Amino acid sequence: EVQLVESGGGLVQPGGSLRLSCAASGFTFSSYEMNWVRQAPGKGLEWVSYISSSGSTIYYADSVKGRFTISRDNAKNSLYLQMNSLRAEDTAVYYCAREYCTNGVCYDYWGQGTLVTVSS
Amino acid sequence: DIQMTQSPSSLSASVGDRVTITCRASQSISSYLNWYQQKPGKAPKLLIYAASSLQSGVPSRFSGSGSGTDFTLTISSLQPEDFATYYCQQSYSTLGVTFGQGTRLEIK
């Protein structure tokens, strides 16, 4: 069974840092591209970042570029998101999501999410 | 960025009803359109990909259609477990996939 389990969320002050983790199991993690998608409280979904299966290609949404860093450790079946210079508008549930579609981009498995709250 | 606009934003319907949700893209996205269902406190679930392909395990009462800029998600006969929020998502622009604002489907 495919499972994605996020951790690392919590309350952080504006300007602070946080590192999210996503532990994958039930599939060959090293074969899949992975993403982070977030959802502010009561709001819609926003794509945050992408990483290729090898980690050689990375993309970010403009809203987080220069502040967030995505990475992965295929030996540990884990995905990470290092978040620096956090702002109130970064408050959201952060999901890791597995890419599935070969024609276009879709996400077939998602974690349960981890809540990041940026507040003083 | 490609903007995705869903309509309606909310919808009340009864069990057994046929329901249609529309998603419009700000430019042509061919068939690079997916639909997700999200229930409160849960992660989104992929229903339809590539505009009309049913994801494995999704009931056949769900269907998708459209291409270019206009797309629809249809639920042929609403079941109690279908009351949720639905999102469309474009992937024509792979460097910046975007989602619609969501359509909340409520029980009448």
Side-chain angles (χ1 to χ4, degrees), chain A residues 39 59 95 103 105 107 110-111, chain B residues 32 34 36 38 43 89 91 97:
Chain A
Q39 186 171 35
Y59 302 124
Y95 297 100
N103 186 21
V105 173
Y107 311 117
W110 301 60
Chain B
Y32 294 98
N34 310 310
Y36 298 84
Q38 187 179 34
Q89 173 239 320
S91 65
V97 301

Side-chain angles (χ1 to χ4, degrees), chain B residues 8-27:
Chain B
S9 295
S10 64
L11 173 62
S12 294
S14 301
V15 172
D17 284 353
R18 179 183 180 91
V19 167
T20 298
I21 298 169
T22 297
C23 180
R24 175 164 289 176
S26 59
Q27 67 180 72

Side-chain angles (χ1 to χ4, degrees), chain B residues 14-108:
Chain B
S14 301
V15 172
D17 284 353
R18 179 183 180 91
V19 167
T20 298
I21 298 169
T22 297
C23 180
R24 175 164 289 176
S26 59
Q27 67 180 72
S28 177
I29 57 170
S30 185
S31 295
Y32 294 98
L33 191 283
N34 310 310
W35 290 98
Y36 298 84
Q37 175 193 67
Q38 187 179 34
K39 296 182 179 180
K42 300 295 186 181
K45 173 186 175 182
L46 179 64
L47 299 176
I48 302 286
Y49 62 94
S52 60
S53 296
L54 192 68
Q55 172 67 348
S56 176
V58 175
S60 59
R61 63 180 179 272
F62 291 91
S63 63
S65 65
S67 66
T69 60
D70 294 316
F71 302 86
T72 59
L73 172 71
T74 299
I75 309 173
S76 61
S77 178
L78 271 176
Q79 298 302 301
E81 61 268 29
D82 300 336
F83 292 95
T85 298
Y86 293 84
Y87 292 94
C88 63
Q89 173 239 320
Q90 68 80 20
S91 65
Y92 182 82
S93 173
T94 55
L95 295 185
V97 301
T98 50
F99 295 85
Q101 83 279 13
T103 294
R104 184 175 179 182
L105 179 53
E106 300 174 319
I107 301 174
K108 183 182 288 184

Side-chain angles (χ1 to χ4, degrees), chain A:
Chain A
E1 179 193 5
V2 171
Q3 281 198 314
L4 297 169
V5 180
E6 300 96 338
S7 60
L11 175 64
V12 61
Q13 292 188 338
S17 298
L18 216 51
R19 188 194 196 207
L20 306 184
S21 299
C22 172
S25 61
F27 65 103
T28 305
F29 180 71
S30 59
S31 297
Y32 285 84
E33 299 154 293
M34 297 294 296
N35 292 259
W36 289 97
V37 178
R38 68 184 180 183
Q39 186 171 35
K43 302 297 184 182
L45 300 163
E46 179 189 17
W47 169 79
V48 173
S49 185
Y50 157 94
I51 188 167
S52 63
S53 57
S54 67
S56 61
T57 302
I58 285 171
Y59 302 124
Y60 299 99
D62 288 343
S63 57
V64 307
K65 201 173 294 182
R67 300 187 299 122
F68 289 12
T69 302
I70 191 172
S71 62
R72 65 190 296 161
D73 186 335
N74 286 342
K76 294 183 177 180
N77 292 335
S78 293
L79 175 73
Y80 307 100
L81 187 68
Q82 177 67 44
M83 304 186 296
N84 298 331
S85 303
L86 282 162
R87 307 166 179 167
E89 55 265 35
D90 295 320
T91 295
V93 174
Y94 285 74
Y95 297 100
C96 61
R98 187 180 85 166
E99 271 198 32
Y100 166 67
C101 292
T102 54
N103 186 21
V105 173
C106 69
Y107 311 117
D108 65 339
Y109 282 95
W110 301 60
Q112 85 287 353
T114 187
L115 176 62
V116 172
T117 302
V118 184
S119 175
S120 55

